[in-house]
Coordinates of all heavy atoms in Angstrom, one line a residue:
Chain A
E354 N 162.7 74.4 63.5 CA 164.1 74.6 63.1 C 164.6 73.2 62.5 O 165.6 73.2 61.9 CB 164.9 75.2 64.1 CG 165.4 74.3 65.2 CD 164.4 74.0 66.3 OE1 163.3 74.6 66.2 OE2 164.6 73.3 67.2
M355 N 164.0 72.1 62.9 CA 164.6 70.8 62.5 C 164.3 70.5 61.0 O 164.9 69.6 60.5 CB 164.0 69.8 63.4 CG 164.7 69.7 64.7 SD 163.9 68.6 65.8 CE 164.6 69.0 67.3
L356 N 163.3 71.2 60.5 CA 163.0 70.9 59.1 C 163.9 71.7 58.1 O 164.3 72.8 58.4 CB 161.5 71.3 58.8 CG 160.4 70.5 59.5 CD1 159.1 71.2 59.3 CD2 160.4 69.1 59.0
T358 N 164.7 74.1 55.3 CA 164.0 75.3 55.0 C 162.9 75.2 53.9 O 161.8 75.6 54.1 CB 165.0 76.5 54.7 OG1 166.1 76.4 55.5 CG2 164.3 77.8 54.8
L462 N 154.7 68.8 75.4 CA 156.1 68.9 75.6 C 157.0 68.6 74.4 O 158.2 68.5 74.5 CB 156.5 67.8 76.7 CG 156.1 68.1 78.1 CD1 156.3 66.9 79.0 CD2 156.9 69.3 78.6
L464 N 159.0 67.1 71.3 CA 159.7 65.9 71.1 C 160.1 65.2 72.3 O 160.0 64.0 72.4 CB 161.0 66.2 70.2 CG 161.5 65.1 69.4 CD1 160.5 64.6 68.5 CD2 162.7 65.7 68.5
F465 N 160.4 66.0 73.4 CA 160.7 65.4 74.7 C 159.5 64.6 75.2 O 159.6 63.5 75.7 CB 161.1 66.5 75.6 CG 161.2 66.0 77.0 CD1 162.3 65.2 77.4 CD2 160.3 66.3 78.0 CE1 162.4 64.8 78.7 CE2 160.4 65.8 79.3 CZ 161.4 65.1 79.7
I468 N 159.2 61.3 73.2 CA 160.2 60.4 73.6 C 159.9 59.8 75.0 O 160.0 58.6 75.2 CB 161.7 60.9 73.5 CG1 162.0 61.3 72.1 CG2 162.6 59.9 74.0 CD1 163.2 62.1 72.0
S469 N 159.5 60.7 75.9 CA 159.2 60.2 77.2 C 158.0 59.2 77.2 O 158.0 58.2 77.8 CB 158.7 61.4 78.1 OG 159.7 62.4 78.1
I472 N 159.3 56.0 76.0 CA 160.0 55.3 77.1 C 159.1 54.6 78.0 O 159.3 53.4 78.4 CB 160.9 56.3 77.8 CG1 162.1 56.7 76.8 CG2 161.5 55.7 79.1 CD1 163.0 57.8 77.4
V473 N 158.0 55.4 78.4 CA 157.1 54.7 79.4 C 156.4 53.5 78.8 O 156.3 52.5 79.4 CB 156.0 55.8 79.8 CG1 154.9 55.1 80.6 CG2 156.7 56.9 80.6
V476 N 158.9 50.8 78.9 CA 159.1 50.2 80.2 C 157.9 49.3 80.6 O 158.1 48.2 81.1 CB 159.2 51.4 81.2 CG1 159.2 50.9 82.6 CG2 160.5 52.2 81.0
H477 N 156.7 49.8 80.2 CA 155.5 49.0 80.5 C 155.7 47.6 79.8 O 155.4 46.6 80.4 CB 154.3 49.7 80.0 CG 153.1 48.9 80.0 ND1 152.4 48.5 81.2 CD2 152.4 48.3 79.0 CE1 151.4 47.8 80.9 NE2 151.3 47.7 79.6
A479 N 158.4 46.1 78.7 CA 159.4 45.3 79.2 C 159.0 44.6 80.5 O 159.6 43.6 80.9 CB 160.7 46.2 79.5
G480 N 158.0 45.2 81.2 CA 157.6 44.6 82.5 C 156.6 43.5 82.3 O 156.2 42.8 83.2
R482 N 154.8 40.0 81.0 CA 155.2 38.7 80.7 C 154.0 37.9 80.2 O 152.9 38.2 80.6 CB 155.7 38.0 82.0 CG 157.1 38.2 82.3 CD 157.4 37.7 83.7 NE 158.9 38.0 84.0 CZ 159.9 37.2 83.7 NH1 159.6 36.1 83.1 NH2 161.1 37.6 84.0
L489 N 159.0 41.3 75.5 CA 159.8 41.9 74.5 C 160.9 41.0 74.0 O 161.7 41.4 73.1 CB 160.4 43.2 75.0 CG 159.4 44.4 75.1 CD1 160.1 45.6 75.5 CD2 158.7 44.6 73.7
A493 N 164.6 42.3 74.3 CA 164.9 42.6 75.7 C 164.1 41.6 76.5 O 163.0 41.6 76.6 CB 164.4 44.0 76.0
P494 N 164.8 40.6 77.1 CA 166.3 40.4 77.1 C 166.7 39.9 75.7 O 165.9 39.2 75.0 CB 166.5 39.3 78.1 CG 165.2 38.6 78.2 CD 164.1 39.6 78.0
I495 N 167.9 40.2 75.3 CA 168.4 39.8 74.0 C 168.7 38.2 74.1 O 169.4 37.8 75.0 CB 169.7 40.5 73.7 CG1 169.4 42.0 73.4 CG2 170.4 39.9 72.5 CD1 170.5 42.8 72.9
P497 N 170.2 35.9 71.5 CA 170.9 36.0 70.2 C 170.4 35.0 69.2 O 170.1 35.3 68.0 CB 172.4 35.8 70.5 CG 172.5 36.0 72.0 CD 171.2 35.7 72.6
Chain B
E6 N 160.0 40.9 90.4 CA 160.5 40.2 89.2 C 161.6 39.3 89.4 O 162.5 39.0 88.6 CB 161.0 41.3 88.2 CG 160.0 41.9 87.3 CD 159.8 41.2 86.0 OE1 160.8 40.8 85.4 OE2 158.7 41.0 85.6
R13 N 175.2 39.8 80.1 CA 175.1 40.7 79.0 C 174.3 41.9 79.4 O 174.7 43.1 79.1 CB 174.4 40.0 77.8 CG 174.3 40.9 76.6 CD 173.6 40.2 75.5 NE 174.3 39.2 74.7 CZ 174.1 37.9 74.7 NH1 173.1 37.4 75.5 NH2 174.8 37.1 74.0
Q14 N 173.2 41.7 80.2 CA 172.5 42.9 80.6 C 173.3 43.8 81.5 O 173.2 45.0 81.5 CB 171.2 42.4 81.4 CG 170.2 41.8 80.4 CD 169.0 41.2 81.2 OE1 169.1 40.6 82.2 NE2 167.8 41.3 80.6
Y17 N 175.5 45.9 79.5 CA 174.7 47.0 78.8 C 174.5 48.1 79.8 O 174.6 49.3 79.6 CB 173.4 46.4 78.3 CG 173.5 45.8 76.9 CD1 174.6 44.9 76.6 CD2 172.6 46.1 76.0 CE1 174.6 44.3 75.4 CE2 172.7 45.4 74.7 CZ 173.7 44.6 74.4 OH 173.8 44.0 73.2
L112 N 168.2 70.0 77.9 CA 166.9 70.1 77.2 C 166.5 71.6 77.2 O 166.0 72.1 76.1 CB 165.8 69.2 77.8 CG 166.1 67.8 77.6 CD1 165.2 66.9 78.4 CD2 166.0 67.4 76.1
F116 N 166.9 72.8 73.4 CA 165.7 72.5 72.6 C 164.5 73.4 73.1 O 163.7 73.9 72.2 CB 165.3 71.1 72.8 CG 166.2 70.1 72.0 CD1 167.1 69.4 72.6 CD2 166.0 70.0 70.6 CE1 168.0 68.6 71.9 CE2 166.9 69.2 69.9 CZ 167.9 68.5 70.5
M117 N 164.3 73.6 74.4 CA 163.1 74.2 74.8 C 163.4 75.3 75.8 O 163.1 75.2 77.0 CB 162.1 73.2 75.4 CG 161.9 72.1 74.4 SD 161.0 70.8 75.1 CE 159.3 71.3 74.7
V124 N 160.0 71.0 84.9 CA 159.2 70.1 84.1 C 159.9 68.8 83.8 O 159.5 67.7 83.9 CB 158.6 70.8 82.9 CG1 158.0 69.8 82.0 CG2 157.7 71.9 83.2
F125 N 161.2 69.1 83.3 CA 161.9 67.9 82.8 C 162.4 67.1 84.0 O 162.4 65.9 84.0 CB 163.2 68.4 82.0 CG 162.8 69.2 80.8 CD1 163.0 70.6 80.8 CD2 162.2 68.6 79.7 CE1 162.6 71.3 79.7 CE2 161.8 69.4 78.7 CZ 162.0 70.7 78.7
M132 N 159.2 59.0 85.5 CA 159.5 57.8 84.6 C 160.4 56.8 85.3 O 160.2 55.6 85.3 CB 160.1 58.3 83.3 CG 159.1 58.8 82.3 SD 159.7 60.0 81.2 CE 161.2 59.2 80.6
Y135 N 158.7 54.9 88.0 CA 157.8 53.9 87.5 C 158.6 52.6 87.1 O 158.2 51.5 87.4 CB 157.1 54.4 86.2 CG 156.3 53.5 85.5 CD1 155.2 52.8 86.0 CD2 156.6 53.2 84.1 CE1 154.5 51.9 85.3 CE2 155.9 52.3 83.4 CZ 154.8 51.7 84.0 OH 154.1 50.7 83.3
Q139 N 159.1 48.5 89.0 CA 159.0 47.2 88.3 C 160.2 46.4 88.5 O 160.2 45.2 88.1 CB 158.7 47.4 86.8 CG 157.5 48.3 86.6 CD 156.8 47.9 85.3 OE1 156.7 46.8 85.0 NE2 156.4 48.9 84.6
E142 N 165.2 43.9 86.7 CA 165.1 43.2 85.4 C 164.5 44.0 84.3 O 165.0 44.0 83.2 CB 164.3 41.9 85.6 CG 165.1 40.7 86.0 CD 164.2 39.4 86.0 OE1 163.8 39.1 84.9 OE2 164.0 38.8 87.0
V143 N 163.4 44.7 84.7 CA 162.8 45.5 83.7 C 163.7 46.6 83.3 O 163.8 46.9 82.0 CB 161.4 46.1 84.3 CG1 160.8 47.0 83.3 CG2 160.5 45.0 84.5
R146 N 166.1 45.2 80.8 CA 165.5 44.9 79.5 C 165.3 46.2 78.7 O 165.6 46.3 77.5 CB 164.2 44.2 79.7 CG 164.3 42.8 80.0 CD 163.0 42.1 80.0 NE 162.9 41.2 81.1 CZ 161.9 41.0 81.8 NH1 160.8 41.7 81.6 NH2 161.9 40.1 82.8
V147 N 164.8 47.2 79.4 CA 164.6 48.6 78.8 C 165.9 49.1 78.2 O 166.0 49.5 77.1 CB 164.0 49.6 79.7 CG1 164.0 51.0 79.1 CG2 162.6 49.2 80.1
Q149 N 168.4 47.3 77.3 CA 168.8 46.5 76.1 C 168.1 47.0 74.8 O 168.6 46.7 73.7 CB 168.4 45.0 76.3 CG 169.4 44.3 77.2 CD 169.1 42.9 77.2 OE1 168.1 42.4 77.4 NE2 170.2 42.1 77.1
I150 N 167.1 47.8 75.0 CA 166.5 48.4 73.8 C 167.1 49.7 73.4 O 167.5 50.0 72.3 CB 164.9 48.5 74.0 CG1 164.3 47.1 74.0 CG2 164.3 49.4 72.9 CD1 162.9 47.2 74.2
R268 N 170.4 68.6 60.0 CA 169.6 68.8 61.2 C 169.3 67.5 61.8 O 168.1 67.1 61.9 CB 168.4 69.6 60.9 CG 168.8 70.8 60.2 CD 167.6 71.7 60.0 NE 167.9 72.6 58.9 CZ 168.0 74.0 59.1 NH1 167.8 74.5 60.3 NH2 168.3 74.7 58.1
P271 N 167.3 65.8 66.4 CA 166.3 64.9 67.1 C 167.0 63.7 67.5 O 166.7 63.1 68.6 CB 165.3 64.6 66.0 CG 165.3 65.8 65.1 CD 166.7 66.3 65.1
M274 N 168.6 64.3 70.7 CA 167.5 64.3 71.7 C 167.1 62.9 72.1 O 167.0 62.6 73.3 CB 166.3 65.0 71.1 CG 165.1 65.0 72.0 SD 164.9 66.5 72.9 CE 163.2 66.9 72.6
F282 N 167.8 59.1 80.9 CA 166.8 58.5 81.7 C 167.3 57.2 82.4 O 167.1 57.0 83.5 CB 165.5 58.3 80.9 CG 164.7 57.1 81.3 CD1 163.8 57.2 82.4 CD2 164.7 55.9 80.6 CE1 163.0 56.2 82.8 CE2 163.9 54.8 81.0 CZ 163.1 55.0 82.1

Side-chain angles (χ1 to χ4, degrees):
Chain A
E354 78 279 0
M355 285 174 189
L356 292 173
T358 319
L462 285 171
L464 207 50
F465 170 73
I468 297 170
S469 309
I472 289 176
V473 171
V476 171
H477 169 74
R482 276 170 183 271
L489 285 182
I495 291 183
Chain B
E6 278 269 320
R13 187 184 277 112
Q14 288 176 323
Y17 278 44
L112 291 169
F116 289 101
M117 305 172 92
V124 170
F125 302 108
M132 277 154 50
Y135 173 63
Q139 304 212 41
E142 268 190 64
V143 173
R146 280 185 221 142
V147 171
Q149 279 186 315
I150 291 178
R268 309 187 199 241
M274 172 99 130
F282 151 77

